[in-house]
Amino acid sequence: MKNYLPCAAAVLVLAGALTSVASAQIGRRFPSEKKIVPDPVTGVPLTFLTSTPSGDSKIYQTHHQWTSDGKWLIFRSNRVRGQAMAVNEETGDIVQVTEGGYSGMLCVADNSMNLYFARTPGMVLADASNAPASGGAMVPANASAETIAAAAAAGGGRGGRSTIPSQIVRVDLANLFADSAKGEMKAANEYEHVLGTVPLEYGNVGDVALDPTENFVYFRISNKEVAAKYLPADQTPEKSFGPRGMGAGPTGLASMNLKTGEIKVITAVPFQIGHVQTNPWNPGEIVFCWETGGKAPQRTWTVMADGSGLRPLYPEASYEWITHEAVITKDEVAIAILAHRAVGGVDRPRPVEPALAATPAGAPAARQRPAGDPTATWGPSGTGEHPSGLGIVNLRTREMRIVGQVPIGDPGRSAWHVNGSPDGRWAVMDDFQYRLWLVDRHSGETTLLADLGHKVRAQDHIHPTFNADSTKIEVQSAMLSENGTSLNICIVPIPKAFLARTYPAKLPQ
């Protein structure tokens, strides 16, 4: 492990990194910030791969985080504005992996050392740590500090139509890492390759998912006029749902052939699409959601890349609050069935959400979007009067099982963001105290794995994601932050005693 920069020196390095995107060279290396500290409640050793207030955040939990060799994690950061980073889990070395910026989801390939994403040429994210999963507020690469600050405070990613067509870009990570280690970087276009351009008429491109074959990417059609052309005649566009003014349609899904650049429309739906993701084990299978910013009339959906099989993934009742779906095995999707509201309409005391929390001095601006106020007009949903917890839906049989719950009376209240291990052995959830729970799917045992300081004023939730060999979980946490809000990249291991467990019956695969 390398020595850390003193705090003042780290600030100077960060300030220098933020001064100019023109100096933001791909392959640039940053000193290790790696720290291993015990969790304050459970004692589990937490590996913080970043530990300074540099505006870090992980890729959203619907997408993979580790490179295919299992050595590097890709993440978003403000240490170089608008550029993506990678950190080596063993050495802690941090490397800049883009130079021209990115404008949406970062897609790490499963079977090669490639990174894919959308890019709006000449534009970069104003604040990576403050960006929603599908992107965020975009600013010109040479924008002033005032423009950047205003855009970051306003949020973005869903409003306004871009005037610049988006590109789909592939980064050759293997050559990039090798050349960076030798200090022999070439021009950015030796590593970054433009595979195609999305016509401007399709609207802003942010929600992007990669097919496991790496032959296609799938993305949301945000231009309602274009989506309306493909909407079935018997369907009427939905209006916004809930207090956030989101959810209205129509929107659609399209694909780009990464070999030819050809664009094809997959489907159109009457509502706002969000959280586009693929099944890493089943080419052409897509999962997405009706995005309202909270409860949706029918949250989860699935469709095949040829447009067939469009259906609700888990048909939900009006009293169910379903959220944060994530493909976890070749046949399964994890969902959260929330119980964060009290039975009878009297809401429980709750932690302040990041968007409403008072921002301490020196902290990054909180995301400017309305918090999910349980007293707002989401309908009679999200209480413990009905079954709730971490649910797992089988894509083939359509059966659903609740495999874990936050204990009744626990201050964490409810499962919130969920995931599962690729081997089918474990499931994981965070709660309303920003803590991490592990579920043994074979025995049903639910264990508090990491308290993480339950920093409920953090910039964002912890969003847990498993690695490929099902032995550890990546989260983003404000546990080390003096201001209690800025996030760092953290790895939580599954305890060796848990991994050594044996069972008489075969586990789901």
Side-chain angles (χ1 to χ4, degrees), residues 134-316:
S134 60
M138 303 296 292
V139 296
N142 59 354
S144 67
E146 292 76 12
T147 298
I148 296 165
R158 297 186 178 94
R161 188 175 299 170
S162 174
T163 59
I164 305 173
S166 297
Q167 301 170 336
I168 301 299
V169 180
R170 183 190 75 237
V171 177
D172 179 350
L173 294 174
N175 286 333
L176 190 160
F177 291 145
D179 290 351
S180 175
K182 293 184 294 186
E184 298 177 357
M185 292 301 299
K186 304 179 182 70
N189 61 13
E190 294 288 331
Y191 313 100
E192 296 182 326
H193 306 283
V194 177
L195 304 178
T197 299
V198 179
L200 195 58
E201 64 187 72
Y202 287 89
N204 302 337
V205 177
D207 257 335
V208 178
L210 177 67
D211 192 82
T213 63
E214 294 185 53
N215 291 328
F216 299 92
V217 293
Y218 310 111
F219 59 91
R220 180 181 63 200
I221 302 170
S222 57
N223 186 335
K224 294 182 179 180
E225 289 78 12
V226 171
K229 296 177 183 179
Y230 298 91
L231 191 68
D234 61 348
Q235 294 187 12
T236 302
E238 297 284 350
K239 298 179 180 179
S240 62
F241 184 88
R244 292 186 175 177
M246 298 170 60
T251 56
L253 288 172
S255 66
M256 175 186 283
N257 185 315
L258 298 179
K259 306 297 182 183
T260 67
E262 180 185 11
I263 305 290
K264 286 187 177 180
V265 174
I266 297 170
T267 192
V269 293
F271 51 83
Q272 178 181 329
I273 287 175
H275 292 198
V276 180
Q277 58 187 293
T278 54
N279 186 332
W281 297 272
N282 192 27
E285 188 166 42
I286 304 168
V287 170
F288 62 97
C289 78
W290 181 344
E291 180 61 90
T292 67
K295 155 73 179 170
Q298 171 55 53
R299 166 79 183 197
T300 56
W301 293 79
T302 185
V303 70
M304 298 304 292
D306 62 3
S308 65
L310 176 65
R311 65 174 178 86
L313 172 65
Y314 170 70
E316 65 194 81

Side-chain angles (χ1 to χ4, degrees), residues 22-39:
S23 65
Q25 184 182 9
I26 194 168
R28 181 179 178 181
R29 303 180 76 85
F30 296 81
S32 173
E33 301 175 5
K34 183 175 176 180
K35 294 182 179 180
I36 300 176
V37 297
D39 183 83

Side-chain angles (χ1 to χ4, degrees), residues 381-401:
S381 56
T383 77
E385 190 172 8
H386 300 281
S388 64
L390 195 171
I392 294 179
V393 184
N394 190 296
L395 284 158
R396 314 303 159 216
T397 67
R398 305 195 186 188
E399 294 177 309
M400 191 278 287
R401 294 290 185 271

